[in-house]
Amino acid sequence: MVLLVVVLLVSLAAGSKATSVPDVVTALRGQGDVHLQAVVESRIPRTVLGLVVGGALAVAGVIIQGITRNPLGEPGLLGVNVGAAASIVTATGFLGLSAGSATVWTALPGGLLAVLVVYLVGGHRSGGSVVPLVLAGAVVSAFLGAYIQAVTLTLPEVFDGYRYWVVGSLAGRDLSAVVEILPFVAVGTVVAVALAPGLNSLALGESTAVALGTRTGRVRAVGIGAATVLASAATAAVGPVAFVGLAVPHVVRSLVGSDHRWTLPYSLVLGGVLLVAADVVGRVVARPQEIAVGVVTAFVGAPFLLLAVRRMRAGT
């Protein structure tokens, strides 16, 4: 939480115009230079949005890794992100929607449909094995990725809007984007926390979980639904942002262990910290221009993941 507060203050201070943290605190109190207050207020929406989106992606990553028992699991593993992107491309190309004005209701149908197809193809009668589920996710993701390329290359006006949205960026968003996705993120997070005991049982193996009385099918279905809502809301708000859902659960497990009652809330906080920190880096390194947060997350997240893997190996 201390790290979170520090990152939020730095995010409000960083930008094309450098501002000190004491000046930020003064501006938040409604004191000091009026122009400085306006600059700080303009940075609040992207900071809050980064916090919410990063937490949503991290919690979705914990759920997917817990359900599939795959350390490389993330929402994209089951086609959630590419399904949401395909839904937005369809609305942009055939319904006249601008990619920059994509809403949760635009992205959610594609994410849900992609996951439903993956579950029906690979998980419906898999006998508890997660391998068919993962393979089905890869096939659906490849198909939808080809569909997105076909639409964007065929319709230049779709490509012009989509190429800015697809890199993932917090720039140009206001608090209305936060208000729109916050109910979805809140519901998805509450469901995830409620599933923590079931996810702990799944971590012990299919047969052990069943012996403990866990309804594994229900846990998987509800967990996949929660992860889909979280990832689709995040994707609609800022575009596809990779690596957060993959790296953050590893870092958290290296700190607090594998108990999902701890990993879920810690991931919620650390996911927001990571995404806001990546946004700060993107604003600073190319000043006065900026690099989209979706580009920076790979560079910021990779060292975290490598550190987590090394610590996990040291503990075995």
Side-chain angles (χ1 to χ4, degrees):
M1 296 304 296
V2 172
L3 180 62
L4 174 63
V5 172
V6 172
V7 169
L8 293 181
L9 288 176
V10 173
S11 177
L12 295 178
S16 57
K17 175 180 174 58
T19 307
S20 66
V21 173
D23 288 340
V24 168
V25 176
T26 301
L28 291 176
R29 293 175 177 174
Q31 303 172 355
D33 183 70
V34 176
H35 176 69
L36 178 61
Q37 294 181 29
V39 170
V40 172
E41 289 176 359
S42 69
R43 295 170 181 168
I44 291 177
R46 68 185 300 166
T47 301
V48 177
L49 184 61
L51 181 64
V52 174
V53 169
L57 292 174
V59 171
V62 173
I63 296 173
I64 297 300
Q65 290 181 13
I67 290 174
T68 62
R69 301 197 300 276
N70 184 348
L72 299 180
E74 61 168 344
L77 189 70
L78 301 183
V80 177
N81 292 342
V82 70
S87 182
I88 291 176
V89 166
T90 301
T92 304
F94 303 107
L95 300 180
L97 177 73
S98 170
S101 61
T103 66
V104 179
W105 296 110
T106 308
L108 193 58
L112 289 174
L113 183 60
V115 171
L116 180 61
V117 172
V118 170
Y119 186 75
L120 291 177
V121 173
H124 183 55
R125 296 181 178 178
S126 60
S129 174
V130 298
V131 175
L133 197 68
V134 174
L135 292 177
V139 172
V140 171
S141 296
F143 173 80
L144 291 177
Y147 167 77
I148 291 173
Q149 289 186 357
V151 174
T152 54
L153 294 178
T154 303
L155 303 175
E157 65 277 9
V158 176
F159 177 75
D160 288 339
Y162 180 74
R163 65 192 178 98
Y164 291 107
W165 176 84
V166 73
V167 296
S169 176
L170 298 176
R173 271 66 172 185
D174 53 27
L175 286 178
S176 64
V178 180
V179 173
E180 181 186 7
I181 69 170
L182 192 58
F184 296 91
V185 175
V187 171
T189 302
V190 170
V191 172
V193 172
L195 284 178
L199 294 175
N200 285 340
S201 298
L202 284 179
L204 300 175
E206 185 75 18
S207 58
T208 303
V210 172
L212 292 173
T214 302
R215 298 184 178 181
T216 57
R218 177 179 296 181
V219 171
R220 286 196 180 94
V222 176
I224 289 174
T228 300
V229 170
L230 289 167
S232 297
T235 302
V238 302
V241 176
F243 216 88
V244 176
L246 174 63
V248 171
H250 285 276
V251 178
V252 169
R253 281 193 291 269
S254 70
L255 296 173
V256 300
S258 300
D259 189 341
H260 287 85
R261 294 174 299 177
W262 289 99
T263 57
L264 285 167
Y266 267 76
S267 295
L268 181 66
V269 175
L270 189 58
V273 169
L274 176 60
L275 195 62
V276 173
D279 184 50
V280 171
V281 172
R283 279 183 273 166
V284 172
V285 297
R287 186 184 292 167
Q289 304 299 322
E290 64 178 68
I291 301 174
V293 68
V295 177
V296 179
T297 49
F299 296 96
V300 175
F304 278 97
L305 181 58
L306 293 176
L307 177 62
V309 171
R310 291 190 62 180
R311 294 188 62 177
M312 290 172 64
R313 288 180 177 177
T316 55

